[in-house]
Amino acid sequence: MRQEDIVRMGEALFHASVTHEQIDPPSVNFPEIDYEDAYAIQKVLVERMQQSGMTLSGKKVGLTSKSMRQAANIYEPDYGYTFAEYCFPNGSQICLSRFIAPRIECELAFKLKADLDKPDVTLEDVLKATEYVVPCMEICDFRIFRDKVQRLIKDSIADNAAFGGYVLGDVPIYPEQVDLSLIPYAFEVNNRQAEVSCGAAVYDDPALSVVWLANTFYRLHTPLKKGEIVLSGSAVASVKVNSGDHFRCRFGRFGEVECGFV
């Protein structure tokens, strides 16, 4: 893609986030789009969001579980940035009008106490760099049409991996005290059980998902940094949000995360 097309596409995605009017995925008009193009578009979008007053809080990886990949019909992870203004306290009642086409996912969020600014990051590196982990619900949102046309992984990356927001739990989990792959997830939608899963559904271990993300962002020259919150990817299939919906995910002895939409 030409640089002017990349900038125009990133600007269009930002405009979609403001007007709440979805646009065609970049691959519709630029079928030759590659990973470098997709990340360049994402960078334009993220920079415009920062210029509008939003503050980066960390990074995210998505499409890490079988259920999420089947739902999206995309079979490799995507990645993007998160923003502090869209971090909500546990139990929040969230205004639905802040989003375009939101969906809820359930995952673990890693708070980093050290940089992961090196090549070939390992599982041991991630665990040593993690201050704590907390249960989390991610709100995915889509500036591009999700169902109208088939999205490619490059489209998802360009759309900042569909980041919309996140809700953090209250119980810190210390990786040296528990096997993250064994943490249970019991996801409820409007007080009815929707899906049961566990940490192993995410890359066999959510920390391995962070390993993948750390190495990906290192190659992109934007490594994971101390203080960032890293979303590791959902262990359950995403669920569409409607006004009045209530969502809760129970994480066994590590508490629960819940939110509603009004």
Side-chain angles (χ1 to χ4, degrees), residues 88-134:
F88 301 96
N90 196 4
S92 291
Q93 292 294 306
I94 302 169
C95 185
L96 186 61
S97 64
R98 296 185 67 166
F99 305 97
I100 305 170
R103 301 179 71 89
I104 285 285
E105 301 179 352
C106 304
E107 55 202 87
L108 295 177
F110 289 64
K111 175 67 178 297
L112 298 183
K113 62 181 179 181
D115 296 349
L116 287 167
D117 189 2
K118 54 174 280 188
D120 303 319
V121 169
T122 66
L123 177 62
E124 183 180 6
D125 293 329
V126 166
L127 296 179
K128 284 183 177 180
T130 298
E131 182 177 353
Y132 57 82
V133 180
V134 288

Side-chain angles (χ1 to χ4, degrees), residues 88-96 99 104 137 139 167 190 241-248 257-262:
F88 301 96
N90 196 4
S92 291
Q93 292 294 306
I94 302 169
C95 185
L96 186 61
F99 305 97
I104 285 285
M137 279 187 177
I139 306 164
V167 181
N190 296 325
V241 176
N242 295 297
S243 181
D245 281 346
H246 178 267
F247 300 92
R248 173 167 48 205
V257 183
E258 62 180 323
C259 65
F261 287 83
V262 294

Side-chain angles (χ1 to χ4, degrees), residues 21-168:
E21 296 177 356
Q22 290 177 312
I23 62 174
D24 285 332
S27 63
V28 170
N29 295 311
F30 303 99
E32 75 282 8
I33 186 173
D34 59 22
Y35 289 95
E36 186 175 339
D37 297 330
Y39 185 68
I41 293 169
Q42 181 190 100
K43 186 177 180 182
V44 173
L45 168 61
V46 168
E47 287 175 349
R48 287 291 287 113
M49 294 173 84
Q50 289 178 279
Q51 290 165 9
S52 74
M54 296 177 66
T55 309
L56 289 175
S57 59
K59 301 180 177 77
K60 62 158 288 185
V61 58
L63 303 175
T64 52
S65 68
K66 182 179 180 181
S67 60
M68 282 301 304
R69 291 178 178 182
Q70 287 178 335
N73 197 26
I74 297 174
Y75 292 89
E76 55 187 299
D78 61 3
Y79 46 87
Y81 294 82
T82 64
F83 290 91
E85 289 76 11
Y86 282 81
C87 176
F88 301 96
N90 196 4
S92 291
Q93 292 294 306
I94 302 169
C95 185
L96 186 61
S97 64
R98 296 185 67 166
F99 305 97
I100 305 170
R103 301 179 71 89
I104 285 285
E105 301 179 352
C106 304
E107 55 202 87
L108 295 177
F110 289 64
K111 175 67 178 297
L112 298 183
K113 62 181 179 181
D115 296 349
L116 287 167
D117 189 2
K118 54 174 280 188
D120 303 319
V121 169
T122 66
L123 177 62
E124 183 180 6
D125 293 329
V126 166
L127 296 179
K128 284 183 177 180
T130 298
E131 182 177 353
Y132 57 82
V133 180
V134 288
C136 175
M137 279 187 177
E138 183 181 358
I139 306 164
C140 287
D141 204 14
F142 300 85
R143 287 154 286 273
I144 59 175
F145 289 110
R146 182 175 185 267
D147 302 315
K148 182 179 176 182
V149 294
Q150 175 59 45
R151 291 182 302 147
L152 305 179
I153 184 65
K154 289 95 166 177
D155 296 318
S156 188
I157 292 169
D159 192 27
N160 196 31
F163 174 75
Y166 58 105
V167 181
L168 292 181

